[in-house]
């Protein structure tokens, strides 16, 4: 391992371990608290009612197992820099090619959706008026240039910025929980005449008021809230003392999900009954508004904007590291494997930025912005599920072919292969669930195009080399 204090001037050098435990812990929290929680939870509540609490706990448990498998694999060989490395080593070059390029596209699609979200949320500060296409392009370019500039500086700056982005989200949720508890214990009465009470969780049709169909429909949006949690694995190559810090970050995921997702939504649905929550309005904004905090809308719009910028920041970081890893495996152009004087894969960053700019222009050819956002996020969710399945597949191969490494591991996946099979079955079931609704089914029908493009790229270009 290289000395993290030594400046890196070689283009062909390795990524530096510049991220501290403080950075890694907050990156893990930031990954676990997505924009989907702030904005998507209203629609999920309207579909599933209080059963959303079980939905988040189930998805959270499955994602936690993926992270435990990821953690054991990365720590089994510290030469592994990301899931490209171990999937290539354990399954084969095609798996590394597939998972690297797919993960890259995951974050590009999220980045394009984030640009749409930034433009949408900034309308609040434009008296609610939509921006013209030219203004939208200017906002998109400014956001990409800002994030690019930060990522080009140093890895440590990325970690520092993500630390503060995550802190804003944490403070917003902690304040929401505190305000909500105050409203519940003081018997607060809303303008609609509803008294805040925990009994709202079961007194409006029970915990499963919309039946099995509503419960399954809730998974479609909820699962998107968790994408990005595996970012901890992407940053492992640039983290100091991964044997100590990575397990701490992974093991704290269940506690964070219970606190940030489950407890926050318990509070939201106790203050306002689930059937009175407007799916088009963030329930977080609604709760602060009911509490009589005049600046609630401004505060929460700024929080959501910071959350979207955090997502873009993470996405640009991830895409560049995936392209760097692919290049070092000769699965992407050599230029992407070059580092600048700050040990940052600058060429990979430039390419991802160009793709984001190209993708941003597509939103102007889609008449319905919400439909375009749904398409992008659903496609991203499908691709993330495929990446998670490859991680679990890699673990199954590792468990069978490297028993000596598993035996001496101090960070084992609970349940081993059995857990892998259960989680893989769950994610396959989630792909089926995405076919149940018309808007998400459209994205599901589009997704095989990417698999065809990958197959052409692998067999037509990489294999020939």
């Amino acid at each position: 391992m290289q000395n993290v204090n030594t400046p890196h001037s070689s283009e062909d050098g390795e990524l530096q371990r510049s991220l501290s435990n403080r950075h890694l812990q907050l990156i893990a929290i930031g990954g676990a608290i997505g924009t989907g929680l702030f904005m998507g939870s209203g629609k999920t509540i309207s579909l599933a009612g209080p059963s959303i609490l079980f939905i988040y706990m189930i998805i959270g448990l499955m994602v936690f197992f993926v992270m435990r498998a990821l953690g054991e694999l990365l720590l089994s060989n510290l030469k592994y820099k990301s899931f490209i490395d171990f999937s290539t080593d354990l399954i084969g070059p095609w798996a590394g090619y597939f998972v690297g390029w797919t993960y890259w596209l995951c974050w590009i699609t999220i980045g394009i959706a984030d640009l749409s979200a930034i433009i949408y949320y900034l309308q609040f500060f434009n008296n609610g008026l939509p921006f013209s296409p030219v203004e939208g392009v200017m906002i998109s370019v400014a956001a990409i240039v800002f994030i690019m500039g930060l990522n080009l500086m140093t890895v440590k700056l990325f970690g520092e910025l993500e630390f503060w982005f995550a802190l804003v989200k944490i403070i917003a949720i902690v304040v929401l929980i505190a305000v909500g508890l105050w409203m519940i214990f003081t018997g607060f009465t809303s303008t609609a005449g509803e008294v805040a009470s925990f009994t709202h969780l079961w007194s409006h049709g029970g915990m499963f008021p919309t039946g099995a169909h509503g419960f399954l429909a809730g998974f479609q949006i909820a699962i998107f809230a968790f994408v990005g949690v595996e970012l901890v694995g992407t940053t492992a190559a640039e983290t100091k003392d991964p044997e100590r810090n990575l397990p701490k970050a992974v093991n704290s995921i269940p506690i964070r999900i219970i606190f940030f997702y489950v407890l926050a939504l318990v509070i939201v649905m106790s203050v306002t009954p689930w059937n009175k929550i407007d799916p088009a309005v963030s329930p977080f904004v609604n709760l602060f508004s009911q509490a009589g905090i005049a600046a609630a809308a401004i505060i929460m719009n700024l929080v959501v904007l910071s959350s979207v910028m955090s997502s873009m920041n993470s996405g640009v970081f991830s895409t560049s590291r995936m392209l760097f890893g692919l290049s070092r495996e000769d699965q992407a152009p050599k230029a992407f494997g070059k580092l600048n004087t700050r040990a940052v894969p600058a060429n990979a960053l430039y390419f991802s930025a160009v793709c984001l700019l190209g993708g941003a222009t597509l939103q102007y050819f889609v008449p319905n912005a919400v439909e375009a956002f749904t398409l992008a996020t659903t496609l991203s969710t499908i691709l993330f599920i495929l990446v998670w399945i490859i991680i679990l597949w890699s673990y199954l191969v590792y468990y069978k072919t490297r028993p000596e490494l598993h035996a001496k591991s101090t960070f084992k996946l609970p349940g081993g292969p059995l857990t892998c099979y259960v989680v893989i079955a769950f994610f396959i079931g989630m792909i089926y669930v995405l076919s149940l609704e018309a808007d998400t089914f459209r994205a599901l029908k589009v997704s095989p195009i990417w698999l065809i493009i990958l197959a052409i790229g692998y067999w037509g270009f990489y294999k020939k080399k």
Side-chain angles (χ1 to χ4, degrees):
M1 189 187 302
Q2 294 175 10
N3 187 336
V4 294
N5 298 316
T6 304
H8 215 302
S9 59
S10 171
E11 286 189 334
D12 299 315
E14 294 298 326
L15 298 172
Q16 294 177 272
R17 295 192 181 275
S18 304
L19 298 176
S20 67
N21 177 53
R22 173 174 66 92
H23 294 135
L24 190 66
Q25 297 299 326
L26 268 291
I27 287 170
I29 295 175
I33 309 171
T35 311
L37 173 64
F38 288 111
M39 299 311 298
S41 52
K43 187 177 179 184
T44 316
I45 290 170
S46 70
L47 290 170
S51 66
I52 186 179
L53 303 176
F54 301 112
I55 291 170
Y56 277 119
M57 284 191 279
I58 291 168
I59 298 172
L61 179 65
M62 297 300 167
V63 170
F64 170 66
F65 286 139
V66 172
M67 292 303 299
R68 282 297 297 254
L70 176 64
E72 183 176 343
L73 287 168
L74 287 172
L75 295 178
S76 71
N77 182 351
L78 292 181
K79 290 182 180 178
Y80 291 153
K81 298 294 187 276
S82 69
F83 20 88
I84 292 179
D85 297 335
F86 65 64
S87 56
T88 298
D89 183 31
L90 295 164
I91 301 176
W94 73 266
Y97 184 91
F98 171 83
V99 81
W101 280 108
T102 299
Y103 195 67
W104 173 82
L105 183 65
C106 285
W107 280 105
I108 291 295
T109 55
I110 287 179
I112 293 167
D114 286 340
L115 288 173
S116 301
I118 288 168
I119 293 167
Y120 178 78
Y121 293 128
L122 282 175
Q123 289 175 11
F124 174 82
F125 302 100
N126 191 40
N127 296 319
L129 300 173
F131 293 104
S132 69
V134 174
E135 289 171 330
V137 168
M138 291 172 65
I139 291 168
S140 296
V141 171
I144 292 169
V145 169
F146 174 66
I147 294 295
M148 277 288 298
L150 294 170
N151 272 267
L152 280 169
M153 296 300 288
T154 62
V155 177
K156 192 169 185 179
L157 182 62
F158 159 78
E160 199 62 41
L161 193 72
E162 200 56 30
F163 174 88
W164 291 105
F165 274 146
L167 203 58
V168 168
K169 292 190 272 191
I170 292 165
I171 292 169
I173 294 175
V174 169
V175 171
L176 172 128
I177 291 171
V179 170
L181 286 172
W182 170 79
M183 294 169 79
I184 292 165
F185 290 120
T186 58
F188 179 85
T189 304
S190 70
T191 52
E194 296 286 352
V195 179
S197 169
F198 288 120
T199 59
H200 289 319
L201 294 172
W202 57 82
S203 60
H204 297 272
M207 294 296 290
F208 295 86
T210 57
H213 181 78
F215 180 66
L216 289 176
F219 280 93
Q220 298 170 0
I221 305 160
I223 201 164
F224 176 68
F226 286 89
V227 301
V229 72
E230 72 299 310
L231 184 62
V232 174
T234 312
T235 57
E238 295 166 89
T239 303
K240 297 173 184 175
D241 195 6
E243 295 98 329
R244 184 174 67 90
N245 293 332
L246 189 59
K248 283 171 66 177
V250 171
N251 282 336
S252 57
I253 287 172
I255 300 165
R256 288 166 183 157
I257 288 166
I258 289 169
F259 185 81
F260 294 115
Y261 282 77
V262 179
L263 183 56
L265 292 175
V266 163
I267 297 297
V268 164
M269 290 185 289
S270 295
V271 172
T272 306
W274 74 270
N275 53 350
K276 300 288 177 66
I277 291 175
D278 185 351
V281 177
S282 169
F284 290 74
V285 175
N286 184 54
L287 187 143
F288 283 123
S289 298
Q290 287 198 40
I293 301 174
I298 296 173
I299 294 167
M300 284 311 299
N301 269 281
L302 289 172
V303 167
V304 173
L305 268 172
S306 75
S307 181
V308 175
M309 292 301 287
S310 168
S311 176
M312 273 199 72
N313 191 39
S314 300
V316 167
F317 178 91
S318 296
T319 56
S320 64
R321 269 52 181 185
M322 284 297 116
L323 292 179
F324 174 84
L326 286 163
S327 176
R328 290 300 174 93
E329 295 287 341
D330 294 323
Q331 295 179 341
K334 283 286 185 187
F336 296 159
K338 302 290 185 183
L339 298 174
N340 66 10
T341 53
R342 300 183 184 90
V344 172
N347 293 332
L349 278 169
Y350 296 140
F351 178 72
S352 294
V354 169
C355 291
L356 277 174
L357 286 169
T361 61
L362 294 177
Q363 62 188 304
Y364 303 110
F365 299 100
V366 179
N368 188 331
V370 175
E371 184 181 334
F373 185 84
T374 303
L375 184 70
T377 53
T378 306
L379 178 60
S380 177
T381 301
I382 294 163
L383 297 176
F384 267 106
I385 286 173
L386 295 177
V387 169
W388 292 339
I389 288 174
I390 291 285
I391 291 170
L392 295 167
W393 184 357
S394 299
Y395 183 88
L396 290 170
V397 176
Y398 151 85
Y399 186 88
K400 184 177 180 181
T401 61
R402 316 277 168 90
E404 71 287 351
L405 292 179
H406 172 72
K408 69 178 184 180
S409 172
T410 57
F411 192 60
K412 292 182 173 69
L413 167 66
L418 178 61
T419 299
C420 281
Y421 288 122
V422 170
V423 179
I424 288 171
F426 170 78
F427 284 133
I428 291 171
M430 285 300 97
I431 292 175
Y432 166 73
V433 167
L434 289 170
S435 71
L436 299 178
E437 297 291 325
D439 52 356
T440 53
F441 185 53
R442 277 195 290 273
L444 193 61
K445 288 188 290 187
V446 169
S447 57
I449 296 172
W450 174 244
L451 303 181
I452 294 168
I453 292 170
L454 277 184
I456 293 170
Y458 182 76
W459 295 104
F461 297 95
Y462 173 67
K463 286 294 280 186
K464 282 184 177 180
K465 290 194 292 185

